[in-house]
Amino acid sequence: MMFMDISTLWLFAISATILTLIPGPDMLRALSNTMSLGAKAGLITVFGAVTGVMFHILFAIAGVTALIYSSTVLYKSFIIIGALYILWVGVSIFINNNPLSIDNIKSKKSCKKIYSEGLLTNLLNPKAIIFTLAFIPQFIRIEAGRVTFQMLILGLELIIVMLLIQVPLVFLAGKIAVNVKGSSKIGIYINRFFGVIIVFLGLTILFIRL
């Protein structure tokens, strides 16, 4: 891959790692589902979010992302819809009073529903569209050509970074969930914790980005 040097790939990996470690709606949703429904649910949520990243990369390549960003009406509409969805996610987690128990860890939610939640949380996350438009292009070498292929490579690298960080966190959260199962107070406190943070992120996006 002469059109992309190793130093660029390493720099992007480091930058993507730092940004991924900053808790966002995707990670918090995955951890919340893990604590409430078990590690399997958390992993499915992560895979849904990863699928969302793939769509964002494809949207950026097709010019859809740039179109949204260039139009004030479209951009603000996307921000509002995304922020409201994130707020809904946070509130729904906050009001979940189900304790951590064997019954809850054996999720009654279908895998399809959990996957869709992870996908939507990423697709409607304004941070994702800004990331693909403003961050990834900084690592593209226009003079090297094959820009589309470069974006695909960086997108794949971002996905690998996400998986390397979020999958171990899900398994760790899953072990914690098993150790504290049966405690209704701990389960409720955990839901409150994730719910408040996600609501805060939604409000931040709604008021600061606009």
Side-chain angles (χ1 to χ4, degrees), residues 1-56:
M1 293 190 301
M2 297 299 294
F3 58 92
M4 293 190 75
D5 55 83
I6 298 299
S7 61
T8 299
L9 295 176
W10 272 111
L11 181 59
F12 180 81
I14 294 171
S15 303
T17 298
I18 293 173
L19 290 176
T20 303
L21 286 172
I22 300 173
D26 297 339
M27 183 184 295
L28 293 174
R29 184 78 188 231
L31 294 178
S32 175
N33 279 345
T34 301
M35 297 299 293
S36 298
L37 307 171
K40 179 181 177 181
L43 289 176
I44 294 174
T45 307
V46 170
F47 293 141
V50 165
T51 305
V53 172
M54 295 178 183
F55 276 113
H56 280 297

Side-chain angles (χ1 to χ4, degrees), residues 63-83 123-124 126 129-130 210:
V64 176
T65 303
L67 176 63
I68 293 176
Y69 200 76
S70 64
S71 170
T72 301
V73 174
L74 286 177
Y75 178 70
K76 288 188 175 181
S77 298
F78 181 84
I79 293 291
I80 292 172
I81 293 172
L123 283 179
L124 296 177
I129 188 173
I130 295 172
L210 291 179

Side-chain angles (χ1 to χ4, degrees), residues 44-184:
I44 294 174
T45 307
V46 170
F47 293 141
V50 165
T51 305
V53 172
M54 295 178 183
F55 276 113
H56 280 297
I57 296 297
L58 294 177
F59 291 157
I61 291 173
V64 176
T65 303
L67 176 63
I68 293 176
Y69 200 76
S70 64
S71 170
T72 301
V73 174
L74 286 177
Y75 178 70
K76 288 188 175 181
S77 298
F78 181 84
I79 293 291
I80 292 172
I81 293 172
L84 290 178
Y85 179 77
I86 291 173
L87 284 172
W88 178 82
V89 170
V91 171
S92 64
I93 291 174
F94 184 87
I95 64 177
N96 180 16
N97 292 322
N98 293 326
L100 297 172
S101 65
I102 295 296
D103 293 333
N104 286 333
I105 291 181
K106 293 179 179 178
S107 171
K108 294 181 180 179
K109 275 187 180 180
S110 67
C111 293
K112 182 179 180 180
K113 181 176 177 60
I114 296 171
Y115 177 83
S116 299
E117 289 176 350
L119 175 61
L120 281 175
T121 301
N122 183 273
L123 283 179
L124 296 177
N125 182 7
K127 174 186 172 183
I129 188 173
I130 295 172
F131 183 88
T132 54
L133 184 68
F135 182 73
I136 290 182
Q138 296 181 35
F139 296 86
I140 298 294
R141 294 176 55 196
I142 302 297
E143 70 280 1
R146 304 178 70 181
V147 172
T148 297
F149 192 62
Q150 289 186 59
M151 287 199 68
L152 289 174
I153 292 297
L154 294 177
L156 177 61
E157 188 173 2
L158 173 60
I159 288 172
I160 292 174
V161 169
M162 284 181 61
L163 291 174
L164 288 176
I165 292 174
Q166 295 191 14
V167 169
L169 286 176
V170 163
F171 281 116
L172 177 61
K175 289 185 177 181
I176 294 174
V178 171
N179 290 332
V180 301
K181 65 181 181 293
S183 173
S184 59

Side-chain angles (χ1 to χ4, degrees), residues 194-205:
F194 284 118
V196 167
I197 294 180
I198 294 176
V199 166
F200 175 77
L201 289 175
L203 291 174
T204 301
I205 291 170

